[in-house]
Amino acid sequence: MRGLGTRTILYQQNVATSLGLYNHDFISVDILRETGPITAGELAKKTGLTTGSITALVDRLEKFGYVRRQNDPNDRRRVIIVPEYEDKEEVYNTYLPLHNEMVKLVSSYTPEELELITTFLGKASSVLDDQIQQLSSNKQGPK
């Protein structure tokens, strides 16, 4: 699992670089892909970045057309970050080779095996979410 995690991080860093983004920027893009529109404060909490860093990050993502800011209709003080990158051709083209290779890999498994793999990945994601929550609540910073 650690090896797969490391390779996933390295792949993500290379995708971010190829799109002209910082890795934190692209992590935020992936978070928004999973969550949909969220407030800047929620994005800060999920990434562990300060609200000031999130402001600069959102500025960069907005400049590239990956997100847009929207005023929260319920609270004028809050801003909602709305993902806008899914239909961007450069994102599609960057992920297409990985998608094609994963389709080939998936086709080598039976439906029963895929169900087991899907269940495992879902549960593994929950375990990781729990561990992230525990680690982020016990942050001590570099020593």
Side-chain angles (χ1 to χ4, degrees), residues 11 15 33 86 89-108 114:
Y11 178 80
V15 167
R33 182 187 54 77
E86 283 295 335
E89 188 174 345
E90 65 267 21
V91 174
Y92 175 82
N93 290 337
T94 300
Y95 278 110
L96 186 60
L98 174 64
H99 172 78
N100 291 339
E101 290 302 314
M102 287 298 192
V103 167
K104 284 183 203 174
L105 177 61
V106 165
S107 69
S108 70
L114 288 173

Side-chain angles (χ1 to χ4, degrees), residues 51-93:
T51 53
S53 294
I54 287 295
T55 299
L57 180 148
V58 172
D59 287 345
R60 287 190 302 273
L61 291 177
E62 196 171 40
K63 182 177 98 178
F64 281 101
Y66 287 94
V67 300
R68 69 179 164 80
R69 287 177 167 96
Q70 174 180 305
N71 290 330
D72 186 332
N74 301 319
D75 185 345
R76 294 176 58 185
R77 296 168 295 172
R78 293 188 335 170
V79 172
I80 297 172
I81 310 305
V82 180
E84 296 276 313
Y85 56 86
E86 283 295 335
D87 295 327
K88 294 190 120 346
E89 188 174 345
E90 65 267 21
V91 174
Y92 175 82
N93 290 337

